[in-house]
Amino acid sequence: QRRVHGTLSECLFFFARSVPAPMPLTIEYRMPLPCTVQEYLRGQLYGVARHSYDTSVRSTHGERVDILVNEPFVDQQGFDKGQYTKKVMHIGRKLPRWAQAIVPSKATQCIEESWNAFPHCRTQYRIDFLGSAFWMTCDSMYYDNDVGTKENAFELKKDELAARSVDFIDLADKSEKEADFPLKDWRARKVGRGPLLPGWFAEQPPVMCCYKLVRVHVGLRGFQGKMEKMVQKLAFRDIILEGHQNMVLWMDDWISMALEEIRALEQRVQVRLKAINAGEKPADDCDELFP
């Protein structure tokens, strides 16, 4: 029965993915954060490593992240140099029930490639099963002493600006999905920051702003508009909101770490996840690093 469902859904997807898309759904997210840009570099790397670890090791829903490559790069994607990563994210259980019912398992393995030339980062996502019918890109820029007021941070052309919408995210806004996050009680005691109340960024330095320009294309007949909106929300907005809230919550854990220490931590996590995903007992234990 599972095989019949898989074969049917695969046939439906091959039929549906022949639709050309005129323009990807483009949203620019703007998110003020209680740190400097240089602090954010370390906090972001720490948060991504910890999230990858938690997703693969502590998740009870079958999600996992395979880290395939994490190494320096030179002269790629228009950047002089930076850090390149390649991951495979198994995302099937994160989809809504209606999507799980029609999406074949091969279409739930998402490849992420990222070129981090801080303070500019470019990330591309694809699902090989869908070919050109699905892609997503994210360009990120970071600015000190900024609360999200730059109207064209990515120097978009006139037609791109017309197609772009802006989504301003306040981590302390009670209406947000992760409203149970204890920002009102949060304190980063090592640096004397917090709590964060709605509108905090107008009164509490330091402050920086994270700008993320996300383009999503889903060329699937009958599903294009709905799927593009779903991907923007579930596969991006909800994730960056939760991820940045956690980065702030964990600030006392990473704020005193040097960049070299965090890079070493990334390597430990990569080795451990490779062993776990291969069904082996890892020689290294990261639990003491992520309490």
Side-chain angles (χ1 to χ4, degrees), residues 219-233:
L220 297 176
R221 188 189 308 272
F223 299 100
Q224 182 177 338
K226 186 173 184 178
M227 290 291 283
E228 286 179 346
K229 291 177 181 178
M230 182 194 74
V231 171
Q232 282 278 9
K233 184 179 187 305

Side-chain angles (χ1 to χ4, degrees), residues 93-190:
R93 301 296 287 273
K94 288 184 176 293
L95 297 175
R97 288 185 179 276
W98 68 265
Q100 291 185 37
I102 63 171
V103 175
S105 60
K106 293 179 182 178
T108 64
Q109 297 178 13
C110 183
I111 298 173
E112 175 195 281
E113 293 183 278
S114 181
W115 294 263
N116 190 346
F118 197 83
H120 190 179
C121 180
R122 176 167 298 135
T123 306
Q124 298 177 351
Y125 302 86
R126 72 177 189 274
I127 295 174
D128 286 344
F129 176 76
L130 297 179
S132 61
F134 170 81
W135 54 262
M136 180 169 73
T137 65
C138 172
D139 279 280
S140 302
M141 294 288 291
Y142 313 101
Y143 295 94
D144 271 322
N145 304 311
D146 188 292
V147 295
T149 56
K150 283 183 171 53
E151 285 307 313
N152 194 4
F154 296 95
E155 300 181 351
L156 300 178
K157 297 178 181 178
K158 189 174 181 179
D159 59 334
E160 294 175 309
L161 283 172
R164 175 208 69 177
S165 62
V166 174
D167 187 347
F168 184 88
I169 301 176
D170 180 357
L171 294 185
D173 188 340
K174 294 181 180 179
S175 67
E176 293 290 2
K177 176 177 180 289
E178 303 293 333
D180 58 342
F181 178 76
L183 281 167
K184 61 182 175 55
D185 300 319
W186 166 76
R187 296 283 196 287
R189 302 190 184 282
K190 289 183 179 180

Side-chain angles (χ1 to χ4, degrees), residues 54-112:
D54 284 348
T55 298
S56 294
V57 177
R58 298 177 175 177
S59 172
T60 59
H61 301 291
E63 303 101 348
R64 78 172 195 266
V65 177
D66 299 331
I67 304 174
L68 305 182
V69 182
N70 184 4
E71 63 188 18
F73 74 84
V74 176
D75 193 21
Q76 296 181 25
Q77 294 289 314
F79 302 134
D80 292 335
K81 61 181 180 179
Q83 192 77 8
Y84 169 75
T85 57
K86 183 177 182 179
K87 303 175 184 178
V88 178
M89 299 179 292
H90 303 264
I91 59 175
R93 301 296 287 273
K94 288 184 176 293
L95 297 175
R97 288 185 179 276
W98 68 265
Q100 291 185 37
I102 63 171
V103 175
S105 60
K106 293 179 182 178
T108 64
Q109 297 178 13
C110 183
I111 298 173
E112 175 195 281

Side-chain angles (χ1 to χ4, degrees), residues 10-34:
E10 287 173 18
C11 290
L12 288 172
F13 261 64
F14 274 116
F15 168 75
R17 71 186 195 182
S18 61
V19 177
M23 183 78 74
L25 179 61
T26 304
I27 301 178
E28 181 181 304
Y29 299 94
R30 302 177 183 178
M31 186 185 310
L33 296 164

